[in-house]
Amino acid sequence: LLDALRGGKYLFVDVVSGNKDWDDSFRGALRQLDAGITLEKLSRSDPVFTGEIPGTQGFDAVKVNFRRSLHTRFSTAGRCDLYAILWKGKPVGVYSAYDISSGIGYHYFPDCRGVTPQHARELAMNVFLAAYGWKVSAAASSGGGTKG
C-alpha cells in the first residue's frame, strides 16, 4: 500500500464481506504503515456521496440500500460510512468498513455486511470520478498534465 501511495496511486479499499475483525485489522495495518496515514469520515456533502463532481456528474448515493445482514441495525437503507484515506493531510483514497466490491460483481454470500449491487456500483463510480477530478485538479494547479 505504501508503495502505491508513493507512486501517486489513489486507493479504494473495502472490507470484503464487511467482517468487523478485518476492519479492525486493516485500520491497525494502516497505522503501522506510516504515521502520516489517517482516516477521516466523509461528510454527506462529499462528492463521493452526492455525485456532484466538477466536470462531470456521478450518482446520488447519500442513501443506499443495505444487504440483509445489516437490516436489523440500519433498517433496510441508510448511509454507508466511508472514510477518506489521508497521507500527510492529502486525500489518497477512500475506505469502507462495509462490503462494496462483492456488490460490484453481484456476488451474494451469507452474512455479507454491505450495500446492494446497484448502490455498490454507484458508490464505486463516484469514487472513481472523484479521484479523477482530484488528479486533474492537482495537475492543473501544478501546471502539469495527467497521466493514466
Side-chain angles (χ1 to χ4, degrees), residues 64-144:
V64 296
N65 291 328
F66 291 110
R67 292 188 184 221
R68 186 169 290 132
S69 65
L70 290 174
H71 286 189
T72 57
R73 183 167 175 206
F74 296 109
S75 81
T76 60
R79 179 176 174 218
C80 180
D81 288 337
L82 298 175
Y83 299 84
I85 303 172
L86 304 173
W87 186 36
K88 300 176 184 172
K90 175 186 167 197
V92 294
V94 172
Y95 172 68
S96 173
Y98 298 111
D99 182 282
I100 293 175
S101 32
S102 69
I104 293 170
Y106 278 110
H107 300 289
Y108 287 99
F109 49 91
D111 301 324
C112 177
R113 298 177 71 247
V115 299
T116 58
Q118 174 188 345
H119 290 126
R121 288 189 173 100
E122 291 174 0
L123 283 168
M125 181 55 76
N126 284 359
V127 169
F128 170 78
L129 292 172
Y132 187 72
W134 289 320
K135 185 174 183 176
V136 169
S137 175
S141 67
S142 68

